[in-house]
Amino acid sequence: MRIFKILFVVAIFITNINSQTIINRYSEKLMLENDGNLKLDITFNLKSDSMHTLSLPLNFNNKDVKILNYDSTIQDIKLEKNDGVKFIVIYFKGFSDSLIDYNLKLEVKNYFDFEKNKTDFGNYILSYKFVNFSSLKIRKIESYIFLPEKYVFTSVLETLPKQKSNNPEDIYVFSRENSRNYIKLKNTDLGIGDGIFIKFKFKMEEKSKIFLVILVFIAVGYMIFFRDLVKQKKVK
């Protein structure tokens, strides 16, 4: 009887492998706030025709994570830990044989300590790593890391995958949205254990002191010019 149970489990396992769903696109926005908390906005695209639940890797093992919101197409979400790795376990309301975008929002408390990560010339160092611990392949991943308002990137120290000189396509790009600077990191075909990594410096935006001095001189010059002009008119 025991052998039949084992064969039954193996048969289910093989069936799941053969009908394995691929995450077509995985996009995450990491919004760093001034208090060090992090808002995490995840959108993924897949067909849920062969599965009722999905476990997504949550690469914040030692952090307090709170679920804020998720799509109405999702029945429930739970945060679970397995073999030292945190997962977002998603329960779908039904099955779909077409590609659907699913969205969920979370908050990571005390993600970044500004004081501990402060370095030279007012810079801060931040590193982020995403590893695909899911059993599903991710065809395309995009990670957007947003700085708080009035902060700017100063340098990128390291990335995985590395930027190759013979590859015209950039691994990462800088941009700006709603008064916040961000860096976009991307990769393709992530199997189990594959991922992305970035380490960079950023700092509080500073206006050039030379530019401010020039503005002061211009303002003083205008004041002197108009004062002399008024005096000349009075003399006439």
Side-chain angles (χ1 to χ4, degrees):
M1 193 70 180
R2 182 180 176 84
I3 186 67
F4 287 108
K5 288 183 179 180
I6 294 173
L7 290 174
F8 179 73
V9 172
V10 171
I12 292 176
F13 178 73
I14 293 173
T15 302
N16 287 337
I17 290 177
N18 291 333
S19 62
Q20 189 182 62
T21 302
I22 293 177
I23 299 175
N24 189 59
R25 180 178 59 86
Y26 181 94
S27 175
E28 57 180 7
K29 289 185 177 180
L30 296 88
M31 317 282 289
L32 181 63
E33 307 297 336
N34 285 304
D35 57 4
N37 292 339
L38 184 78
K39 296 290 178 61
L40 181 60
D41 190 318
I42 299 173
T43 300
F44 60 95
N45 179 284
L46 55 71
K47 294 179 182 179
S48 60
D49 55 348
S50 61
M51 62 197 317
H52 182 64
T53 62
L54 171 68
S55 294
L56 292 177
L58 183 61
N59 291 267
F60 304 96
N61 277 345
N62 301 317
K63 301 295 181 182
D64 180 21
V65 182
K66 179 183 178 183
I67 300 170
L68 298 180
N69 194 15
Y70 50 86
D71 279 350
S72 58
T73 51
I74 297 174
Q75 182 176 336
D76 193 17
I77 290 179
K78 292 182 179 178
L79 303 180
E80 297 181 0
K81 202 167 187 178
N82 186 11
D83 292 332
V85 179
K86 270 188 178 180
F87 289 93
I88 309 170
V89 183
I90 301 168
Y91 298 85
F92 298 105
K93 282 187 176 178
F95 302 103
S96 173
D97 58 357
S98 59
L99 285 171
I100 295 179
D101 282 339
Y102 298 93
N103 178 263
L104 53 145
K105 295 175 174 61
L106 304 97
E107 184 179 28
V108 184
K109 292 287 188 180
N110 302 316
Y111 170 73
F112 187 76
D113 191 320
F114 280 85
E115 287 301 318
K116 288 184 178 179
N117 291 282
K118 195 169 185 178
T119 177
D120 57 335
F121 305 107
N123 281 290
Y124 302 93
I125 294 182
L126 188 150
S127 60
Y128 174 70
K129 176 174 65 175
F130 175 95
V131 180
N132 182 22
F133 290 111
S134 169
S135 60
L136 304 184
K137 181 178 180 180
I138 300 176
R139 183 166 290 161
K140 181 180 180 181
I141 183 172
E142 296 175 335
S143 291
Y144 301 79
I145 303 176
F146 284 77
L147 299 179
E149 286 189 33
K150 298 181 180 179
Y151 282 84
V152 294
F153 294 95
T154 53
S155 65
V156 174
L157 304 175
E158 186 181 355
T159 64
L160 285 176
K162 294 183 181 296
Q163 181 68 48
K164 297 179 180 178
S165 58
N166 59 351
N167 185 2
E169 189 174 359
D170 292 328
I171 300 299
Y172 60 88
V173 292
F174 296 102
S175 192
R176 186 176 174 86
E177 182 180 296
N178 297 328
S179 302
R180 298 181 68 160
N181 294 303
Y182 71 84
I183 188 169
K184 172 186 172 183
L185 188 66
K186 58 185 178 179
N187 201 0
T188 56
D189 297 326
L190 269 64
I192 300 175
D194 294 333
I196 56 176
F197 171 80
I198 189 165
K199 185 177 183 180
F200 58 85
K201 286 184 178 183
F202 69 99
K203 66 187 300 184
M204 178 74 79
E205 188 176 18
E206 295 178 354
K207 292 186 177 180
S208 172
K209 293 182 180 179
I210 297 176
F211 180 69
L212 290 175
V213 170
I214 292 173
L215 287 179
V216 170
F217 273 111
I218 292 173
V220 172
Y222 270 109
M223 290 175 63
I224 294 173
F225 173 78
F226 282 111
R227 184 191 64 187
D228 293 342
L229 189 62
V230 170
K231 284 183 177 179
Q232 289 177 9
K233 286 184 178 179
K234 285 183 178 179
V235 170
K236 291 180 180 180

